[in-house]
Amino acid sequence: MDANKLVNMANQIAAFFSAEPDRKDAVAGVAGHLRKFWDPRMRREILAHFDAGGDGMESLVRDALEHYRDDLAPAG
Amino acid sequence: MYSNKVLDHGTPASKSPKQVTLQVDGKPVTVPAGTSVMRAAVDAGVKVPKLCATDTLDAFGSCRLCVVEIEGRRGYPASCTTPCEDGMSVTTQSDKLADLRRGVMELYISDHPLDCLTCTANGNCELQDMAGAVGLREVRYGYEGDNHLDAEKDRSNPYFTFDPSKCIVCSRCVRACDEVQGTFALTVEGRGFESQIAAGPTNFLDSECVSCGACVQACPTATLMENSLEEQGQPDHAVTTTCAYCGVGCSFRAEMKGNEVVRMVPHKDGKANHGHSCVKGRFAWGYATHPDRVTSPMIREKITDPWREVSWEEAFAHTAKEVKRIQAKYGRGSAGGITSSRCTNEETFLVQKLVRAAFGNNNVDTCARVCHSPTGYGLKQTLGESAGTQDFDSVEHTDCVIVIGANPTDGHPVFASRMKQRLRAQKRGEDGAGLIVIDPRQIDLVRTPHIEADYHLQLRPGTNVAVMNSLAHVVVTEGLASDDYIAERCDPAEFEKWKAFISEERNSPEVLESETGVPADQIRGAARLFAKAPNGAIYYGLGVTEHSQGSTTVMTIANLAMVTGNIGRPGVGVNPLRGQNNVQGSCDMGSFPHELPGYRHVSDGSVRTLFQDKWGVEIDPEPGLRIPNMFDAALDGSFKALYVQGEDIAQSDPDTQHVLAALSSLELLIVQDIFMNETAKYAHVILPGSSFLEKDGTFTNAERRISRVRKVMPPLAGLADWEVTVKLSEALGYPMNYEHPSEIMAEIAALTPTFTGVTYEKIDELGSIQWPCNDKAPEGTPYMHSEEFVRGKGRFFVTNYVATPERTTRKFPLILTTGRILSQYNVGAQTRRTDNQVWHDEDVLELHPHDAELRGIEDGDMVAMTSRQGNTTMRAVITERMQPGVVYTTFHHPESGANVVTTDNSDWATNCPEYKVTAVQVSKVVKDKSDWQQGFDRIEQEQDSLLPSRRAQQPGTTN
Ligand code: SF4
Ligand code: SF4
Ligand code: SF4
Ligand code: FES
């Protein structure tokens, strides 16, 4: 899928959770949202984009992908 | 008028808890205090003759036909206006009373044509019945004098006729329009003999009339009559069913002659509508038998091939083979389905079951994605349940109403009439309700007869969160919060966090004024009005959800309701006004790719086990694709087969060109619909759908009310929609064994904790049921969260305002926002095929005089509208309803292509598209059609020529 679009969507999610006073909560919020609502191919592709440098990603998204990679990477 | 098979009590029921006992013709009867003598008599089995009274209207006491004698009282009081008293003794028949009544009738009849035998109302006319009841035998006045017998008929309304020669000036129609509908379109002109009923200066069509039909039900004579009754004659039986248009879910009696509908009359006992209706449900049902209906399954290889009509068997076999081929080639995840908010709960349940069990993935979504998915998300997070908190009746107990991003008089007309009754009470000096409207446009509710909003916060599109935050800021910082309620019912840590956030200066109305365009003092005033009202209720619609911050706005609404203590009793609450009839139901039924029925996440192992045991298959624990994701995946080649039931995604989804590219890249598009809609142009398989008149099932309205849809005629193409899904599933190798939709409901009840107590028998018994309905609430739940929130403690969410990425620039200086109008419904597939076209036959662009002048545009000019996505043309309407800088249109007509210009921005949480904010430029044009529209016409012609019915019409053949 269009990586730009996925990045935009993830950044939007981060914009909501960035209001959390505790950054740990914000990172967990972003990761939890991706896990709950994104189909595996979308998660796979955003992780791939992250690994390729993660152009355009907000830092909250990067942290979420990094810290919660095991949860987010689809099985198989 | 109503069918004479429907009992008329004469006056409305009294709600008094006190009881009184009286005697009517010697029979004792006990009624609530405040009940009229007329109504008590009906309870005692005695029908007092009457003409100006009917139980949908307050008593008026003008005809004097209903006189009675009351022991110990002088004279002959009118029974409709006399309240019962304890110990009263009433006589309804005596020689004197008979004389008086005959005298009254004689006067009426002397000015009434005596063409009973050929009159449309023959056999169902109150005047005729009363002449019989009072034993009228002669009319002494003769017919030669002055009369109104030659008065001309008004046939301007396409659905009903006004024949003044038959009018007895009882004013029931006028009162129905005022009291029930709240439009005030009719007046009694002149006095005495001269008096007559008038609709505006000319006729019904040109008056304020919105064709709701209330006056037609109320009229006791043939003066106001449905045209269908004139054409078809009196019905022979009636079936109770539910309107298939909007989320109000009005209950109707379908009055039938054999398999033909003669008329649809709102059901007095319907708990959503209490005998009222709007023009769509009441009159616009002709589409169901329109010649454009698809009557045979069709298939084709490529979308440029002509359609081939095939048998159902061949259609199912072909479709199943194709699905299997595609899944074998591209993987299990390459197929998916879309359920419909217009189909029944049972049908929706089956489509998601087919996707999860027979396709073996969770790629199922619903058109609610593009309207109310943020409601589901936002309310689940904050309150714990993805549904509105109240019933409609709740508005009677409200002291202050906030309407945000909703246009109830157009979108939810029957509920709007209820709300207006409550709002007018205030103007009458009773303790009615205050009104705050939050909308970029001056919707009708802001100023309508006998109602004026206390505040109209005319914000810039896209700033809902900012406005809602600033309201909450005022409540918190001015000490207006309901501290006790919050302490008792809400999560304290989350509240403190939110309180700190919302109190920050950046959320104050003064700081946000420049962003929202709403003066700070108006925000402060509105916040105080709402917070101080004993009961405050918030009603909202798509103007809240269809934004990039749609889910956040839903949370701000829940925050404001909680901080003012306004959830958990009648008169308050968070009330989403749902668009299509079964949006609530389709969401409840597990139409979202991450949730099984009852809003339970697919990753929850114990829930999956429940379904796996019942269905005998493994359920994928991973969430599936949402509609916009399906389009993206189609374009990148990983999604190839789509089953769409009763939805026109090509027209209703934003960024049309992107959607069409995605649809064109599918290898199998299965469209199940009653018409060849826009999506069908890209389809490979057509499965004919059935209208709501052709099947059994249930709809769930915006109040969580489950009502029965009943079959009144056989399906045109032989199968009801649920049967089509059953057979398709069977062809796919996953048999579903249901003989009747009640068995599907039994399965839903067995699998869904909020539906445990729901059965068809119970719905029949109670009329309708509001879920949750289970052991804790065996008769259903009118309002939720009464003792505690469903999630335990209510949770405040920090709701940062984030401006939409869609920004105006020099090139695109205006903001386009979109909406609905009364007479048309959604993409218009149904209403465009009815006479509702007389009110709205094209989509127009509304703009402010200032913006029009700048561009040299005059009212009625064709204008081009261009956005970053595309362009289209439509006719301009210049109106002060708009604020400068904002333009508005509807999207009921495919050729206007409003969604060609809308963007692919979407809600951050749910991907609900941002229909409500698009930066555009508008200019006057000479050319009537944009490039896109010319392309549209070409495709329309090409696809049309591929239809079997069109090819059969080639010269030399007859059809
Ligand atoms: S039109 Fe019908 S309801 Fe209205 S005043 Fe005449 S008779 Fe009565
Ligand atoms: S149809 Fe409705 S709006 Fe029109 S005059 Fe009758 S009651 Fe009023
Ligand atoms: S469209 Fe809505 S308001 Fe109108 S009759 Fe149908 S359910 Fe009622
Ligand atoms: S019915 Fe009572 S006065 Fe007309």
Side-chain angles (χ1 to χ4, degrees), chain A residues 1 5 12 16 19-20 33 35-37 39-41 43, chain B residues 333 497 594 601 622-623 632 636 638 798 904 906 908-909:
Chain A
M1 273 188 249
K5 210 161 173 176
Q12 264 187 298
F16 176 80
E20 286 288 339
H33 195 90
R35 180 70 189 86
K36 240 175 132 179
F37 297 101
D39 148 283
R41 78 193 83 173
R43 301 196 318 257
Chain B
K497 197 160 89 182
H594 64 285
H601 202 271
E622 287 286 358
D632 293 338
D636 85 358
S638 66
V798 173
D904 71 349
S906 67
W908 67 270

PDB file of all heavy atoms in Angstrom, chain A residues 1 5 12 16 19-20 33 35-37 39-41 43, chain B residues 333 497 594 601 622-623 632 636 638 798 904 906 908-909:
ATOM      1  N   MET A   1       0.827  -1.205   0.000  1.00  0.00           N
ATOM      2  CA  MET A   1       0.000   0.000   0.000  1.00  0.00           C
ATOM      3  C   MET A   1       0.856   1.247   0.000  1.00  0.00           C
ATOM      4  O   MET A   1       2.022   1.198   0.382  1.00  0.00           O
ATOM      5  CB  MET A   1      -0.902  -0.002   1.230  1.00  0.00           C
ATOM      6  CG  MET A   1      -2.198  -0.743   0.959  1.00  0.00           C
ATOM      7  SD  MET A   1      -3.312  -0.523   2.329  1.00  0.00           S
ATOM      8  CE  MET A   1      -3.307  -2.155   2.979  1.00  0.00           C
ATOM      9  N   LYS A   5       0.636   7.256   2.615  1.00  0.00           N
ATOM     10  CA  LYS A   5      -0.690   7.276   3.217  1.00  0.00           C
ATOM     11  C   LYS A   5      -0.655   6.628   4.595  1.00  0.00           C
ATOM     12  O   LYS A   5      -1.228   7.145   5.557  1.00  0.00           O
ATOM     13  CB  LYS A   5      -1.635   6.503   2.307  1.00  0.00           C
ATOM     14  CG  LYS A   5      -3.036   7.005   2.365  1.00  0.00           C
ATOM     15  CD  LYS A   5      -3.758   6.527   1.133  1.00  0.00           C
ATOM     16  CE  LYS A   5      -5.220   6.868   1.241  1.00  0.00           C
ATOM     17  NZ  LYS A   5      -5.950   6.501   0.021  1.00  0.00           N
ATOM     18  N   GLN A  12      -1.363  10.889  12.249  1.00  0.00           N
ATOM     19  CA  GLN A  12      -2.626  11.405  12.794  1.00  0.00           C
ATOM     20  C   GLN A  12      -2.944  10.749  14.136  1.00  0.00           C
ATOM     21  O   GLN A  12      -3.414  11.397  15.060  1.00  0.00           O
ATOM     22  CB  GLN A  12      -3.765  11.059  11.837  1.00  0.00           C
ATOM     23  CG  GLN A  12      -4.161  12.146  10.861  1.00  0.00           C
ATOM     24  CD  GLN A  12      -5.405  11.695  10.110  1.00  0.00           C
ATOM     25  OE1 GLN A  12      -5.387  10.695   9.404  1.00  0.00           O
ATOM     26  NE2 GLN A  12      -6.503  12.415  10.262  1.00  0.00           N
ATOM     27  N   PHE A  16      -3.208  12.499  18.126  1.00  0.00           N
ATOM     28  CA  PHE A  16      -4.191  12.371  19.204  1.00  0.00           C
ATOM     29  C   PHE A  16      -3.509  12.001  20.514  1.00  0.00           C
ATOM     30  O   PHE A  16      -3.710  12.638  21.544  1.00  0.00           O
ATOM     31  CB  PHE A  16      -5.247  11.317  18.866  1.00  0.00           C
ATOM     32  CG  PHE A  16      -6.220  11.090  19.997  1.00  0.00           C
ATOM     33  CD1 PHE A  16      -7.275  11.966  20.201  1.00  0.00           C
ATOM     34  CD2 PHE A  16      -6.056  10.031  20.887  1.00  0.00           C
ATOM     35  CE1 PHE A  16      -8.159  11.787  21.262  1.00  0.00           C
ATOM     36  CE2 PHE A  16      -6.933   9.842  21.948  1.00  0.00           C
ATOM     37  CZ  PHE A  16      -7.991  10.724  22.125  1.00  0.00           C
ATOM     38  N   ALA A  19      -1.273  14.193  23.220  1.00  0.00           N
ATOM     39  CA  ALA A  19      -1.810  15.010  24.308  1.00  0.00           C
ATOM     40  C   ALA A  19      -1.628  14.342  25.666  1.00  0.00           C
ATOM     41  O   ALA A  19      -1.781  14.982  26.707  1.00  0.00           O
ATOM     42  CB  ALA A  19      -3.291  15.273  24.056  1.00  0.00           C
ATOM     43  N   GLU A  20      -1.303  13.047  25.670  1.00  0.00           N
ATOM     44  CA  GLU A  20      -1.067  12.357  26.948  1.00  0.00           C
ATOM     45  C   GLU A  20       0.125  12.999  27.653  1.00  0.00           C
ATOM     46  O   GLU A  20       1.201  13.123  27.063  1.00  0.00           O
ATOM     47  CB  GLU A  20      -0.741  10.876  26.695  1.00  0.00           C
ATOM     48  CG  GLU A  20      -1.931  10.035  26.287  1.00  0.00           C
ATOM     49  CD  GLU A  20      -2.888   9.782  27.437  1.00  0.00           C
ATOM     50  OE1 GLU A  20      -2.475   9.892  28.607  1.00  0.00           O
ATOM     51  OE2 GLU A  20      -4.065   9.486  27.151  1.00  0.00           O
ATOM     52  N   HIS A  33      -3.306   1.210  19.306  1.00  0.00           N
ATOM     53  CA  HIS A  33      -4.261   1.527  18.251  1.00  0.00           C
ATOM     54  C   HIS A  33      -3.912   0.785  16.958  1.00  0.00           C
ATOM     55  O   HIS A  33      -4.783   0.209  16.307  1.00  0.00           O
ATOM     56  CB  HIS A  33      -4.318   3.037  18.018  1.00  0.00           C
ATOM     57  CG  HIS A  33      -5.509   3.455  17.216  1.00  0.00           C
ATOM     58  ND1 HIS A  33      -6.709   3.796  17.792  1.00  0.00           N
ATOM     59  CD2 HIS A  33      -5.699   3.548  15.883  1.00  0.00           C
ATOM     60  CE1 HIS A  33      -7.587   4.078  16.846  1.00  0.00           C
ATOM     61  NE2 HIS A  33      -7.001   3.939  15.672  1.00  0.00           N
ATOM     62  N   ARG A  35      -2.257  -1.946  16.658  1.00  0.00           N
ATOM     63  CA  ARG A  35      -2.468  -3.385  16.848  1.00  0.00           C
ATOM     64  C   ARG A  35      -3.945  -3.742  16.717  1.00  0.00           C
ATOM     65  O   ARG A  35      -4.309  -4.757  16.145  1.00  0.00           O
ATOM     66  CB  ARG A  35      -1.943  -3.783  18.232  1.00  0.00           C
ATOM     67  CG  ARG A  35      -2.110  -5.260  18.558  1.00  0.00           C
ATOM     68  CD  ARG A  35      -1.165  -6.102  17.690  1.00  0.00           C
ATOM     69  NE  ARG A  35      -1.416  -7.538  17.799  1.00  0.00           N
ATOM     70  CZ  ARG A  35      -2.311  -8.200  17.066  1.00  0.00           C
ATOM     71  NH1 ARG A  35      -3.070  -7.565  16.199  1.00  0.00           N
ATOM     72  NH2 ARG A  35      -2.463  -9.501  17.212  1.00  0.00           N
ATOM     73  N   LYS A  36      -4.782  -2.879  17.273  1.00  0.00           N
ATOM     74  CA  LYS A  36      -6.206  -3.179  17.342  1.00  0.00           C
ATOM     75  C   LYS A  36      -6.943  -2.966  16.025  1.00  0.00           C
ATOM     76  O   LYS A  36      -7.901  -3.660  15.721  1.00  0.00           O
ATOM     77  CB  LYS A  36      -6.855  -2.253  18.391  1.00  0.00           C
ATOM     78  CG  LYS A  36      -7.497  -3.011  19.522  1.00  0.00           C
ATOM     79  CD  LYS A  36      -8.011  -2.072  20.571  1.00  0.00           C
ATOM     80  CE  LYS A  36      -9.431  -2.460  20.930  1.00  0.00           C
ATOM     81  NZ  LYS A  36      -9.994  -1.602  21.971  1.00  0.00           N
ATOM     82  N   PHE A  37      -6.505  -1.977  15.255  1.00  0.00           N
ATOM     83  CA  PHE A  37      -7.310  -1.575  14.098  1.00  0.00           C
ATOM     84  C   PHE A  37      -6.649  -1.770  12.740  1.00  0.00           C
ATOM     85  O   PHE A  37      -7.300  -1.639  11.722  1.00  0.00           O
ATOM     86  CB  PHE A  37      -7.744  -0.108  14.242  1.00  0.00           C
ATOM     87  CG  PHE A  37      -8.623   0.124  15.434  1.00  0.00           C
ATOM     88  CD1 PHE A  37      -8.110   0.662  16.600  1.00  0.00           C
ATOM     89  CD2 PHE A  37      -9.969  -0.234  15.399  1.00  0.00           C
ATOM     90  CE1 PHE A  37      -8.916   0.860  17.711  1.00  0.00           C
ATOM     91  CE2 PHE A  37     -10.775  -0.044  16.504  1.00  0.00           C
ATOM     92  CZ  PHE A  37     -10.254   0.506  17.665  1.00  0.00           C
ATOM     93  N   ASP A  39      -5.012  -3.900   9.813  1.00  0.00           N
ATOM     94  CA  ASP A  39      -4.896  -5.225   9.233  1.00  0.00           C
ATOM     95  C   ASP A  39      -3.395  -5.578   9.121  1.00  0.00           C
ATOM     96  O   ASP A  39      -2.562  -4.682   8.983  1.00  0.00           O
ATOM     97  CB  ASP A  39      -5.626  -5.146   7.871  1.00  0.00           C
ATOM     98  CG  ASP A  39      -5.038  -6.051   6.815  1.00  0.00           C
ATOM     99  OD1 ASP A  39      -3.983  -5.692   6.254  1.00  0.00           O
ATOM    100  OD2 ASP A  39      -5.623  -7.094   6.560  1.00  0.00           O
ATOM    101  N   PRO A  40      -3.054  -6.868   9.215  1.00  0.00           N
ATOM    102  CA  PRO A  40      -1.640  -7.271   9.244  1.00  0.00           C
ATOM    103  C   PRO A  40      -0.816  -6.697   8.087  1.00  0.00           C
ATOM    104  O   PRO A  40       0.328  -6.293   8.298  1.00  0.00           O
ATOM    105  CB  PRO A  40      -1.698  -8.788   9.151  1.00  0.00           C
ATOM    106  CG  PRO A  40      -3.051  -9.168   9.627  1.00  0.00           C
ATOM    107  CD  PRO A  40      -3.959  -8.016   9.371  1.00  0.00           C
ATOM    108  N   ARG A  41      -1.392  -6.632   6.884  1.00  0.00           N
ATOM    109  CA  ARG A  41      -0.554  -6.155   5.770  1.00  0.00           C
ATOM    110  C   ARG A  41      -0.201  -4.683   5.951  1.00  0.00           C
ATOM    111  O   ARG A  41       0.863  -4.242   5.550  1.00  0.00           O
ATOM    112  CB  ARG A  41      -1.213  -6.453   4.413  1.00  0.00           C
ATOM    113  CG  ARG A  41      -2.327  -5.539   3.985  1.00  0.00           C
ATOM    114  CD  ARG A  41      -3.083  -6.118   2.797  1.00  0.00           C
ATOM    115  NE  ARG A  41      -4.077  -7.091   3.261  1.00  0.00           N
ATOM    116  CZ  ARG A  41      -4.977  -7.671   2.475  1.00  0.00           C
ATOM    117  NH1 ARG A  41      -5.013  -7.420   1.186  1.00  0.00           N
ATOM    118  NH2 ARG A  41      -5.849  -8.518   2.976  1.00  0.00           N
ATOM    119  N   ARG A  43       0.264  -3.224   8.908  1.00  0.00           N
ATOM    120  CA  ARG A  43       1.317  -3.173   9.942  1.00  0.00           C
ATOM    121  C   ARG A  43       2.650  -3.624   9.362  1.00  0.00           C
ATOM    122  O   ARG A  43       3.697  -3.029   9.638  1.00  0.00           O
ATOM    123  CB  ARG A  43       0.910  -4.042  11.143  1.00  0.00           C
ATOM    124  CG  ARG A  43      -0.401  -3.584  11.767  1.00  0.00           C
ATOM    125  CD  ARG A  43      -0.648  -4.156  13.146  1.00  0.00           C
ATOM    126  NE  ARG A  43      -0.313  -5.547  13.333  1.00  0.00           N
ATOM    127  CZ  ARG A  43      -1.192  -6.552  13.370  1.00  0.00           C
ATOM    128  NH1 ARG A  43      -2.495  -6.313  13.211  1.00  0.00           N
ATOM    129  NH2 ARG A  43      -0.789  -7.778  13.582  1.00  0.00           N
TER     130      ARG A  43
ATOM    131  N   GLY B 333      -6.653 -13.501   2.249  1.00  0.00           N
ATOM    132  CA  GLY B 333      -7.002 -12.119   2.576  1.00  0.00           C
ATOM    133  C   GLY B 333      -7.392 -11.272   1.380  1.00  0.00           C
ATOM    134  O   GLY B 333      -7.635 -10.078   1.515  1.00  0.00           O
ATOM    135  N   LYS B 497      -6.398  14.435  35.127  1.00  0.00           N
ATOM    136  CA  LYS B 497      -5.540  14.661  33.962  1.00  0.00           C
ATOM    137  C   LYS B 497      -6.260  15.554  32.947  1.00  0.00           C
ATOM    138  O   LYS B 497      -5.708  16.522  32.419  1.00  0.00           O
ATOM    139  CB  LYS B 497      -5.227  13.297  33.331  1.00  0.00           C
ATOM    140  CG  LYS B 497      -4.078  13.266  32.390  1.00  0.00           C
ATOM    141  CD  LYS B 497      -3.560  11.831  32.223  1.00  0.00           C
ATOM    142  CE  LYS B 497      -4.272  11.101  31.119  1.00  0.00           C
ATOM    143  NZ  LYS B 497      -3.856   9.714  30.939  1.00  0.00           N
ATOM    144  N   HIS B 594     -12.666  -5.361  12.958  1.00  0.00           N
ATOM    145  CA  HIS B 594     -11.937  -5.743  14.178  1.00  0.00           C
ATOM    146  C   HIS B 594     -12.855  -6.301  15.256  1.00  0.00           C
ATOM    147  O   HIS B 594     -12.403  -6.692  16.311  1.00  0.00           O
ATOM    148  CB  HIS B 594     -11.168  -4.538  14.726  1.00  0.00           C
ATOM    149  CG  HIS B 594     -12.062  -3.414  15.159  1.00  0.00           C
ATOM    150  ND1 HIS B 594     -12.689  -2.582  14.264  1.00  0.00           N
ATOM    151  CD2 HIS B 594     -12.457  -3.016  16.382  1.00  0.00           C
ATOM    152  CE1 HIS B 594     -13.416  -1.697  14.924  1.00  0.00           C
ATOM    153  NE2 HIS B 594     -13.300  -1.943  16.209  1.00  0.00           N
ATOM    154  N   HIS B 601     -13.674  -7.476  20.393  1.00  0.00           N
ATOM    155  CA  HIS B 601     -12.517  -7.516  19.493  1.00  0.00           C
ATOM    156  C   HIS B 601     -12.178  -8.948  19.063  1.00  0.00           C
ATOM    157  O   HIS B 601     -12.232  -9.867  19.879  1.00  0.00           O
ATOM    158  CB  HIS B 601     -11.308  -6.854  20.159  1.00  0.00           C
ATOM    159  CG  HIS B 601     -10.294  -6.382  19.167  1.00  0.00           C
ATOM    160  ND1 HIS B 601      -9.282  -7.178  18.711  1.00  0.00           N
ATOM    161  CD2 HIS B 601     -10.175  -5.199  18.516  1.00  0.00           C
ATOM    162  CE1 HIS B 601      -8.558  -6.502  17.819  1.00  0.00           C
ATOM    163  NE2 HIS B 601      -9.078  -5.291  17.686  1.00  0.00           N
ATOM    164  N   GLU B 622      -6.798 -11.762  13.604  1.00  0.00           N
ATOM    165  CA  GLU B 622      -6.273 -10.459  13.171  1.00  0.00           C
ATOM    166  C   GLU B 622      -7.384  -9.574  12.613  1.00  0.00           C
ATOM    167  O   GLU B 622      -8.255 -10.062  11.893  1.00  0.00           O
ATOM    168  CB  GLU B 622      -5.229 -10.665  12.061  1.00  0.00           C
ATOM    169  CG  GLU B 622      -3.910 -11.227  12.540  1.00  0.00           C
ATOM    170  CD  GLU B 622      -3.071 -10.198  13.290  1.00  0.00           C
ATOM    171  OE1 GLU B 622      -3.501  -9.033  13.407  1.00  0.00           O
ATOM    172  OE2 GLU B 622      -1.989 -10.581  13.772  1.00  0.00           O
ATOM    173  N   PRO B 623      -7.358  -8.262  12.906  1.00  0.00           N
ATOM    174  CA  PRO B 623      -8.357  -7.373  12.303  1.00  0.00           C
ATOM    175  C   PRO B 623      -8.225  -7.364  10.786  1.00  0.00           C
ATOM    176  O   PRO B 623      -7.131  -7.538  10.251  1.00  0.00           O
ATOM    177  CB  PRO B 623      -8.012  -6.001  12.877  1.00  0.00           C
ATOM    178  CG  PRO B 623      -6.607  -6.100  13.362  1.00  0.00           C
ATOM    179  CD  PRO B 623      -6.385  -7.535  13.725  1.00  0.00           C
ATOM    180  N   ASP B 632      -7.269   0.841  -0.988  1.00  0.00           N
ATOM    181  CA  ASP B 632      -5.818   0.947  -1.123  1.00  0.00           C
ATOM    182  C   ASP B 632      -5.198  -0.403  -1.469  1.00  0.00           C
ATOM    183  O   ASP B 632      -4.309  -0.502  -2.315  1.00  0.00           O
ATOM    184  CB  ASP B 632      -5.195   1.492   0.175  1.00  0.00           C
ATOM    185  CG  ASP B 632      -5.596   2.950   0.423  1.00  0.00           C
ATOM    186  OD1 ASP B 632      -5.964   3.632  -0.555  1.00  0.00           O
ATOM    187  OD2 ASP B 632      -5.547   3.389   1.585  1.00  0.00           O
ATOM    188  N   ASP B 636      -3.020  -1.792  -4.736  1.00  0.00           N
ATOM    189  CA  ASP B 636      -1.677  -2.379  -4.728  1.00  0.00           C
ATOM    190  C   ASP B 636      -1.706  -3.867  -5.087  1.00  0.00           C
ATOM    191  O   ASP B 636      -0.687  -4.546  -5.043  1.00  0.00           O
ATOM    192  CB  ASP B 636      -0.927  -2.081  -3.420  1.00  0.00           C
ATOM    193  CG  ASP B 636      -1.246  -3.063  -2.310  1.00  0.00           C
ATOM    194  OD1 ASP B 636      -2.080  -3.967  -2.520  1.00  0.00           O
ATOM    195  OD2 ASP B 636      -0.663  -2.921  -1.227  1.00  0.00           O
ATOM    196  N   SER B 638      -3.349  -6.546  -3.708  1.00  0.00           N
ATOM    197  CA  SER B 638      -3.481  -7.642  -2.747  1.00  0.00           C
ATOM    198  C   SER B 638      -4.938  -7.923  -2.386  1.00  0.00           C
ATOM    199  O   SER B 638      -5.234  -8.821  -1.613  1.00  0.00           O
ATOM    200  CB  SER B 638      -2.681  -7.341  -1.472  1.00  0.00           C
ATOM    201  OG  SER B 638      -3.235  -6.238  -0.792  1.00  0.00           O
ATOM    202  N   VAL B 798      -8.267  13.194  27.137  1.00  0.00           N
ATOM    203  CA  VAL B 798      -7.626  14.442  26.749  1.00  0.00           C
ATOM    204  C   VAL B 798      -7.818  14.589  25.234  1.00  0.00           C
ATOM    205  O   VAL B 798      -7.458  13.699  24.467  1.00  0.00           O
ATOM    206  CB  VAL B 798      -6.135  14.398  27.110  1.00  0.00           C
ATOM    207  CG1 VAL B 798      -5.419  15.607  26.553  1.00  0.00           C
ATOM    208  CG2 VAL B 798      -5.990  14.321  28.615  1.00  0.00           C
ATOM    209  N   ASP B 904      -9.263  12.572   0.396  1.00  0.00           N
ATOM    210  CA  ASP B 904      -9.168  11.268   1.049  1.00  0.00           C
ATOM    211  C   ASP B 904      -8.670  11.397   2.490  1.00  0.00           C
ATOM    212  O   ASP B 904      -8.243  10.437   3.089  1.00  0.00           O
ATOM    213  CB  ASP B 904      -8.313  10.294   0.228  1.00  0.00           C
ATOM    214  CG  ASP B 904      -6.845  10.664   0.248  1.00  0.00           C
ATOM    215  OD1 ASP B 904      -6.519  11.777   0.721  1.00  0.00           O
ATOM    216  OD2 ASP B 904      -6.020   9.862  -0.213  1.00  0.00           O
ATOM    217  N   SER B 906      -9.117  11.431   6.464  1.00  0.00           N
ATOM    218  CA  SER B 906     -10.099  10.677   7.232  1.00  0.00           C
ATOM    219  C   SER B 906      -9.826  10.789   8.718  1.00  0.00           C
ATOM    220  O   SER B 906      -8.773  11.266   9.144  1.00  0.00           O
ATOM    221  CB  SER B 906     -10.084   9.211   6.793  1.00  0.00           C
ATOM    222  OG  SER B 906      -8.855   8.615   7.146  1.00  0.00           O
ATOM    223  N   TRP B 908      -8.767  10.086  12.311  1.00  0.00           N
ATOM    224  CA  TRP B 908      -7.523   9.427  12.721  1.00  0.00           C
ATOM    225  C   TRP B 908      -7.761   8.027  13.291  1.00  0.00           C
ATOM    226  O   TRP B 908      -6.955   7.123  13.083  1.00  0.00           O
ATOM    227  CB  TRP B 908      -6.777  10.284  13.753  1.00  0.00           C
ATOM    228  CG  TRP B 908      -7.502  10.398  15.071  1.00  0.00           C
ATOM    229  CD1 TRP B 908      -8.403  11.343  15.426  1.00  0.00           C
ATOM    230  CD2 TRP B 908      -7.409   9.500  16.184  1.00  0.00           C
ATOM    231  NE1 TRP B 908      -8.892  11.102  16.674  1.00  0.00           N
ATOM    232  CE2 TRP B 908      -8.293   9.981  17.176  1.00  0.00           C
ATOM    233  CE3 TRP B 908      -6.667   8.344  16.442  1.00  0.00           C
ATOM    234  CZ2 TRP B 908      -8.455   9.336  18.394  1.00  0.00           C
ATOM    235  CZ3 TRP B 908      -6.835   7.705  17.664  1.00  0.00           C
ATOM    236  CH2 TRP B 908      -7.715   8.201  18.635  1.00  0.00           C
ATOM    237  N   ALA B 909      -8.901   7.836  13.982  1.00  0.00           N
ATOM    238  CA  ALA B 909      -9.086   6.555  14.669  1.00  0.00           C
ATOM    239  C   ALA B 909      -9.779   5.525  13.791  1.00  0.00           C
ATOM    240  O   ALA B 909      -9.498   4.339  13.885  1.00  0.00           O
ATOM    241  CB  ALA B 909      -9.886   6.753  15.958  1.00  0.00           C
TER     242      ALA B 909
END
